[in-house]
Amino acid sequence: MTVVVLPGDGIGPEVMREALRALERVAPELELEEHAFGAQAIRDTGDSLPDETLAACKASEAVLKGPIGDPEFDAAEVRPEQGMLRLRAELDVYANLRPSEHGHVNILIVRELVGGLYFGAKGVREDGTVFDTMEYHPDQVERIARRAFELARGRRKRVVSVDKANVLETSRMWRRVVTEVAADYGDVDLEHMLVDNAAMQFVLETDGFDVVLTENMFGDILSDLAASLTGGIGLAPSASLSDSGPGLFEPVHGSAPDIAGKGVANPMAMMLSTALMLEHGLGRADEAERLRTAVWNTYWELRDPERTSAFGDAVLKELS
Ligand code: IPM
Ligand code: MG
């Protein structure tokens, strides 16, 4: 089984190093193959997602990816984030699972990842107006909704679908399609919620949420909010799944250029993303559980260790 490793930018290589040490411990027989991606790939090849990297990802069993992004390219024509969106689209990993678990809070955000505002028509009109458009086809909504209901069945059987149906056409269609899908899942409770209210309820009624189903941009924003309610973004992993090909596993956080290279980044989200890869990407629930337990035990023991490598060392000790 080949896993493609994309260490990424900023703190990426540092947190990836610790994740791989732990991965090699729990699943030593996996073939790990590192490829260029992100800012460094732009410097080396002019493209943040070089062809050979994309081909390797498509041929792999799973892709383990660090955060990308570099202020050097903020105003550039070619930016690391473009390669990341292309990779998500090329792998068709439309189902982005972002769990936030901590104490009594247990929210699973199911974010549509390859449509909406991120992928709709965009451009500049002659008069200087700049536009991005939110576009969805009902089929795109249906497949992510089915995923959310399936996942809810294995949990507390509650789906909150988040939209802005009082304003957006896409949201009104979203609501209609989700309601239709819900008819096939009579055992799962469905509630529709407007995104502004959802942001407030996340803070006021955090315990009330189980599965949160939403479109790409709303999911981006709400997943940072959910992470902040449950220990911070340094702890938040994600899994992005397609219907058949390899999944993509990455932390929710960014490349944190301000602390890059200092050896102080928290590798927990990268390690928990690795556990999600074992579970959802490679079908190895036992190894996933072993890694997750070691990471959480380390967290309760050390809380915020000063050094990235100290956290990694402690996880290895837990695993031995
Ligand atoms: C995330 C990130 C990305 C996103 C950025 C880096 C393009 O914020 O995975 O949440 O918006 O999807
Ligand atoms: Mg984000």
Side-chain angles (χ1 to χ4, degrees):
M1 279 193 177
T2 305
V3 170
V4 164
V5 174
L6 309 172
D9 305 321
I11 59 169
E14 299 161 53
V15 293
M16 183 65 86
R17 192 174 311 126
E18 302 311 322
L20 294 184
R21 283 208 294 156
L23 179 61
E24 278 162 359
R25 181 66 62 88
V26 294
E29 66 296 339
L30 290 179
E31 296 260 352
L32 305 177
E33 219 184 85
E34 199 173 309
H35 288 270
F37 186 58
Q40 196 51 49
I42 298 179
R43 288 186 205 101
D44 295 344
T45 71
D47 186 354
S48 74
L49 177 60
D51 292 345
E52 66 86 24
T53 299
L54 178 59
C57 289
K58 284 187 166 171
S60 75
E61 218 67 43
V63 179
L64 188 62
K65 177 190 154 296
I68 54 146
D70 189 313
E72 181 191 329
F73 296 100
D74 276 355
E77 189 98 338
V78 178
R79 292 183 304 282
E81 289 80 1
Q82 293 161 332
M84 170 167 174
L85 295 190
R86 236 181 84 219
L87 180 60
R88 289 172 177 174
E90 288 276 357
L91 296 178
D92 198 27
V93 286
Y94 65 88
N96 181 221
L97 279 41
R98 298 193 157 185
S100 287
E101 275 168 60
H102 207 57
H104 47 96
V105 180
N106 189 347
I107 301 177
L108 176 64
I109 295 184
V110 179
R111 169 191 178 193
E112 201 291 328
L113 200 62
V114 297
L117 208 43
Y118 281 49
F119 289 93
K122 54 187 76 206
V124 186
R125 291 205 196 97
E126 245 166 54
D127 70 349
T129 307
V130 182
F131 63 95
D132 296 279
T133 53
M134 190 186 287
E135 295 179 19
Y136 269 109
H137 187 280
D139 292 349
Q140 285 179 296
V141 180
E142 185 183 338
R143 65 178 185 169
I144 190 69
R146 287 202 183 279
R147 279 287 181 137
F149 281 97
E150 291 292 340
L151 288 159
R153 273 193 169 154
R155 297 171 50 98
R156 299 195 304 284
K157 299 190 169 55
R158 251 178 76 69
V159 171
V160 172
S161 176
V162 173
D163 61 40
K164 189 71 183 175
N166 53 347
V167 178
L168 302 175
E169 286 298 335
T170 40
S171 284
R172 282 192 280 277
M173 181 272 281
W174 178 282
R175 213 172 251 225
R176 176 173 56 73
V177 173
V178 171
T179 304
E180 283 164 16
V181 169
D184 291 342
Y185 298 87
D187 53 327
V188 178
D189 183 58
L190 168 67
E191 183 184 346
H192 299 284
M193 199 178 279
L194 297 173
V195 62
D196 47 352
N197 183 32
M200 180 168 71
Q201 299 307 331
F202 263 40
V203 176
L204 297 179
E205 294 287 344
T206 318
D207 309 10
F209 290 92
D210 179 18
V211 172
V212 174
L213 162 65
T214 193
E215 68 89 39
N216 205 343
M217 179 75 160
F218 298 158
D220 178 45
I221 298 167
L222 289 177
S223 58
D224 272 33
L225 177 53
S228 77
L229 295 170
T230 54
I233 200 152
L235 275 54
S238 86
S240 304
L241 309 173
S242 71
D243 278 331
S244 52
L248 173 65
F249 303 85
E250 57 184 332
V252 172
H253 65 68
S255 57
D258 51 325
I259 57 162
K262 298 190 174 141
V264 297
N266 185 346
M268 193 157 161
M270 190 72 241
M271 291 180 144
L272 292 174
S273 300
T274 307
L276 287 179
M277 176 181 80
L278 286 164
E279 183 183 346
H280 295 279
L282 304 173
R284 307 172 72 141
D286 292 350
E287 285 95 334
E289 194 48 36
R290 226 184 123 214
L291 177 54
R292 207 167 4 237
T293 304
V295 169
W296 279 107
N297 285 348
T298 303
Y299 172 80
W300 292 118
E301 242 165 69
L302 299 181
R303 287 304 180 124
D304 286 319
E306 271 164 32
R307 313 284 315 165
T308 311
S309 57
F311 193 96
D313 289 345
V315 170
L316 286 186
K317 218 166 123 213
E318 282 285 335
L319 287 170
S320 62

